[in-house]
Amino acid sequence: NDVSGWERSFEVDVLPAVDPALAWGSALPWPQLRDGAHPARRTGATAILVDGELAIFVEPKGKRLATANLPAETLELALSIGLPRIAARTKRRELLVETIDGIAAGESSLARGLLAAGARIDYRGLVVRGSPSVIPQPVPEPEPEIDEDEEE
């Protein structure tokens, strides 16, 4: 079983907590999260999933995050990909994270991964900017070419 050179790819999805595609809170009970957080299907709350498994629950406005009992690498992946996607949808294109699992965001063990992914330190916590690459840009329609011979 030689797996050298083999890389596992992960799928990261960001879903609003009220999205019907999110089964937790409707058909399934919410998974246990660290810090005893109680996620709910609230408007403005968001779930970040990695391979279909809840990794991060983001409270409305993104100030508080609660993580699932997953490996740190999985959580860092969810944060580095999911948070910029959430931030890109906000009015200011950034998200201020004050706490992660009840700990000040800058003191969290996950802060290093967020900083490496481009977050910046603020006196209130960590600021994650929205990635322009994750916002689908409309492709402009080409102008119809007018044949000069037809105008005469």
Side-chain angles (χ1 to χ4, degrees), residues 27-46:
L28 300 172
W30 286 97
Q32 185 69 34
L33 299 177
R34 295 182 178 143
D35 187 41
H38 300 289
R41 294 177 70 85
R42 289 187 274 256
T43 301
T46 308

Side-chain angles (χ1 to χ4, degrees), residues 94-126:
E94 57 184 32
L95 199 62
L96 170 65
V97 178
E98 294 179 356
T99 64
I100 301 173
D101 294 329
I103 300 168
E107 297 171 11
S108 168
S109 61
L110 297 169
R112 188 175 343 166
L114 276 171
L115 291 168
R120 73 176 197 277
I121 298 173
D122 183 271
Y123 73 94
R124 300 163 294 177
L126 297 175

Side-chain angles (χ1 to χ4, degrees), residues 14-24 26 41:
V14 176
L15 293 174
V18 295
D19 192 313
L22 191 68
W24 293 293
S26 60
R41 294 177 70 85

Side-chain angles (χ1 to χ4, degrees), residues 10-83:
F10 294 91
E11 185 175 331
V12 178
D13 294 306
V14 176
L15 293 174
V18 295
D19 192 313
L22 191 68
W24 293 293
S26 60
L28 300 172
W30 286 97
Q32 185 69 34
L33 299 177
R34 295 182 178 143
D35 187 41
H38 300 289
R41 294 177 70 85
R42 289 187 274 256
T43 301
T46 308
I48 302 174
L49 303 118
V50 176
D51 288 342
E53 210 173 338
L54 180 66
I56 312 286
F57 181 78
V58 183
E59 293 280 337
K61 298 188 181 184
K63 291 185 179 188
R64 293 184 306 197
L65 309 180
T67 63
N69 292 313
L70 296 174
E73 299 80 23
T74 303
L75 297 175
E76 287 175 2
L77 176 71
L79 291 169
S80 65
I81 294 175
L83 287 181

Side-chain angles (χ1 to χ4, degrees), residues 124-146:
R124 300 163 294 177
L126 297 175
V127 178
V128 178
R129 294 198 48 88
S131 287
S133 62
V134 296
I135 304 171
Q137 299 295 323
V139 178
E141 292 288 325
E143 296 277 330
E145 292 185 23
I146 300 172

